[in-house]
């Protein structure tokens, strides 16, 4: 199974994607995690990404697309994966289509976690207390929501028109949401 998990920052994508990757026996591919690991190790990729991340802006597509293409070609993503945080722009959707096309495959489903906007801010402020993430300050948190609404929310229409979006209520406890996802997925 090849899935994408979508939802605004703070919707719980990362947490749910880890559980889902186990369930489907595939790779969890989080572009945010890959960028953060590269920033920590101060690789060239990390240096290219850091200032965008710190400002709550998207890293340029050419950097991000090349990284995802490489990641999707790795063995553990061969038959199943869950993408978390990519694609995030309409242009990235086109790029992902072409990467998957070259690999002779496509997405089976797009999970959308639906969470109330104020709840998102509260969750992220709470996460900020322990995450150590440099993009978890309040101004950047709010900016990231705006960027999501402008750049990424439109993807739900793109995937919606393909009939692959599965909406899941993302309010409530982690286990409760995991159960809802399990129930909503085919198979
Ligand atoms: P996340 O952990 O998914 O919230 O991502 C953290 C940050 O990494 C984002 O705010 C962006 O700066 C960057 N990032 C992650 N995924 C992408 C992407 N697909 N395109 C551009 N930037 C991204």
């Amino acid at each position: 199974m090849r899935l994408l998990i979508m939802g605004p920052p703070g919707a719980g994508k990362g947490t749910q994607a880890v559980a889902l990757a186990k369930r489907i026996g595939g790779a969890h591919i989080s572009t945010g995690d890959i960028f953060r690991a590269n920033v920590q190790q101060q690789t060239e990729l990390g240096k290219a990404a850091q200032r965008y991340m710190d400002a709550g802006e998207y890293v340029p597509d050419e950097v991000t697309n090349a990284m995802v293409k490489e990641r999707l070609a790795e063995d553990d993503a061969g038959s199943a994966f869950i993408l978390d945080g990519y694609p995030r722009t309409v242009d990235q959707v086109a790029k992902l289509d072409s990467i998957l096309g070259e690999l002779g495959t496509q997405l089976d489903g797009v999970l959308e976690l639906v969470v109330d906007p104020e709840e998102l801010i509260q969750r992220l402020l709470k996460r900020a207390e322990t995450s150590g993430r440099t993009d978890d300050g309040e101004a950047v948190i709010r900016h990231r929501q705006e960027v999501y609404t402008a750049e990424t929310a439109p993807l739900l229409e793109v995937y919606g028109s393909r009939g692959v979006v599965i909406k899941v209520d993302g309010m409530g406890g982690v286990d409760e949401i995991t159960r809802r996802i399990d129930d909503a997925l085919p198979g």
Side-chain angles (χ1 to χ4, degrees):
M1 196 177 303
R2 296 171 180 89
L3 300 171
L4 159 64
I5 190 162
M6 279 191 67
K13 296 186 295 293
T15 307
Q16 295 300 335
V18 169
L20 253 173
K22 280 203 193 109
R23 184 192 142 169
I24 65 175
H28 170 213
I29 302 180
S30 158
T31 42
D33 284 353
I34 301 172
F35 281 135
R36 277 185 289 279
N38 277 276
V39 168
Q40 220 163 28
Q41 291 156 24
Q42 282 294 292
T43 65
E44 286 308 310
L45 179 69
K47 286 181 202 159
Q50 186 163 18
R51 67 193 163 99
Y52 298 99
M53 298 175 75
D54 285 350
E57 300 288 346
Y58 288 169
V59 177
D61 278 358
E62 61 271 20
V63 177
T64 310
N65 288 334
M67 175 179 97
V68 171
K69 184 170 184 186
E70 247 176 62
R71 182 64 188 87
L72 280 169
E74 285 176 33
D75 285 348
D76 65 338
S79 58
F81 58 75
I82 172 128
L83 279 169
D84 163 10
Y86 181 96
R88 253 177 157 100
T89 63
V90 173
D91 285 351
Q92 288 181 6
V93 172
K95 184 63 191 181
L96 177 63
D97 286 343
S98 95
I99 296 172
L100 293 179
E102 279 171 32
L103 295 169
T105 181
Q106 60 182 17
L107 287 180
D108 298 309
V110 175
L111 270 174
E112 178 193 359
L113 286 179
V114 183
V115 181
D116 176 69
E118 253 323 294
E119 166 86 9
L120 294 171
I121 306 281
Q122 295 315 318
R123 283 188 190 176
L124 287 168
L125 289 172
K126 192 153 197 298
R127 183 176 82 183
E129 291 168 12
T130 53
S131 72
R133 280 178 56 156
T134 46
D135 58 354
D136 266 350
E138 182 163 355
V140 176
I141 286 174
R142 291 196 184 271
H143 184 59
R144 287 167 62 220
Q145 301 294 337
E146 289 163 7
V147 173
Y148 177 85
T149 304
E151 305 264 346
T152 306
L155 272 57
L156 290 164
E157 273 173 46
V158 175
Y159 285 118
S161 70
R162 298 183 189 180
V164 289
V165 176
I166 305 164
K167 260 184 201 278
V168 175
D169 178 4
M171 299 288 284
V174 171
D175 294 344
E176 200 181 349
I177 299 164
T178 305
R179 267 196 303 278
R180 280 185 210 133
I181 292 174
D182 279 351
D183 290 346
L185 282 179

